[in-house]
């Protein structure tokens, strides 16, 4: 079963991304695979595996222990786990973390902030809270090079790792299929 749609509304997320001067985007690494399937439900996720691809041998039977990409229920389960993480650590939720909470669309964080100081906080505080729930925010990109320089190279989106800016402009990046500059 699909489950309820727990995502923020796409239109709102995209409009808020363009609201302030500094825009940031990040991705929760393998989001669905970070959410465990309860043991009593794992039997519906059985699959057969032929060792070494040899279909003449008897297959082994396995069960998925995490939600999988492409499962019709996975976005709902992962969205619930994400919201539960924010709720569970609400004593650590600052204004910046709360803003980030409403700026996710499935596993993508798309947020804008008015100042450099806020942008740097947004790259650190939500990352810290979400890591406690087993979620890793990575593939960061920002339209401000000074903010990008506060993010470790390994945590940046592949297209902005180690780039040298000649005219101060960062490369364009797609956000949920829409090209931004």
């Amino acid at each position: 079963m699909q489950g309820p749609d727990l995502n923020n509304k796409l239109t709102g997320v995209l409009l808020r991304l363009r609201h302030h001067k500094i825009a940031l985007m990040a991705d929760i690494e393998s989001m669905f695979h970070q959410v465990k399937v309860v043991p009593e439900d794992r039997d519906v996720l059985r699959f057969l595996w032929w060792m070494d691809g040899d279909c003449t041998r008897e297959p082994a039977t396995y069960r998925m222990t995490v939600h999988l990409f492409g499962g019709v229920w996975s976005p709902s389960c992962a969205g619930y786990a994400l919201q539960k993480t924010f709720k569970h650590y609400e004593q650590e939720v600052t204004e910046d973390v709360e803003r980030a909470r409403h700026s996710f669309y499935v596993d993508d964080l798309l947020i804008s902030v008015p100042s450099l100081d806020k942008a740097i906080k947004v790259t650190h505080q939500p990352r810290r809270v979400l890591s406690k729930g087993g979620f890793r925010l990575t593939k960061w990109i920002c339209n401000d090079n000074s903010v990008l320089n506060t993010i470790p190279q390994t945590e940046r989106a592949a297209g902005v790792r180690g780039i040298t800016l000649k005219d101060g402009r960062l490369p364009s990046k797609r956000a949920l299929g829409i090209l931004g500059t």
Side-chain angles (χ1 to χ4, degrees), residues 34-106:
Q34 307 315 314
V35 182
K36 300 280 187 188
V37 175
V38 292
E40 58 269 21
D41 290 341
R42 292 178 182 168
D43 283 337
V44 299
L45 296 174
R46 287 180 183 263
F47 63 96
L48 301 176
W49 187 263
W50 284 266
M51 297 304 280
D52 301 320
D54 184 358
C55 295
T56 63
R57 295 172 45 185
E58 191 68 24
T61 303
Y62 292 99
R63 300 181 312 164
M64 294 293 294
T65 60
V66 296
H67 290 279
L68 48 124
F69 184 78
V72 69
W73 64 91
S74 294
S76 184
C77 292
Y80 177 79
L82 182 65
Q83 295 303 323
K84 188 81 169 176
T85 299
F86 282 117
K87 180 79 172 149
H88 187 74
Y89 297 102
E90 68 185 345
Q91 71 279 3
E92 298 178 41
V93 171
T94 63
E95 173 190 339
D96 300 309
V97 174
E98 186 62 21
R99 181 181 291 164
R101 176 183 181 181
H102 296 289
S103 299
F104 272 97
Y105 190 76
V106 188

Side-chain angles (χ1 to χ4, degrees), residues 7 20 58 98 100-103 132 136 143 170 174 177:
N7 287 314
H20 294 291
E58 191 68 24
E98 186 62 21
R101 176 183 181 181
H102 296 289
S103 299
K132 292 181 178 195
R136 179 174 172 239
N143 64 345
L170 292 166
R174 290 190 180 275

Side-chain angles (χ1 to χ4, degrees), residues 83-150:
Q83 295 303 323
K84 188 81 169 176
T85 299
F86 282 117
K87 180 79 172 149
H88 187 74
Y89 297 102
E90 68 185 345
Q91 71 279 3
E92 298 178 41
V93 171
T94 63
E95 173 190 339
D96 300 309
V97 174
E98 186 62 21
R99 181 181 291 164
R101 176 183 181 181
H102 296 289
S103 299
F104 272 97
Y105 190 76
V106 188
D107 62 344
D108 293 311
L109 172 65
L110 299 102
I111 189 169
S112 68
V113 293
S115 68
L116 180 64
D117 181 52
K118 284 273 190 203
I120 292 170
K121 286 180 182 176
V122 163
T123 65
H124 296 291
Q125 292 175 348
R127 194 168 28 173
R128 182 180 40 77
V129 169
L130 290 178
S131 70
K132 292 181 178 195
F135 296 110
R136 179 174 172 239
L137 268 177
T138 189
K139 297 183 186 174
W140 285 91
I141 189 164
C142 181
N143 64 345
D144 186 298
N145 195 37
S146 56
V147 174
L148 202 55
N149 286 333
T150 69

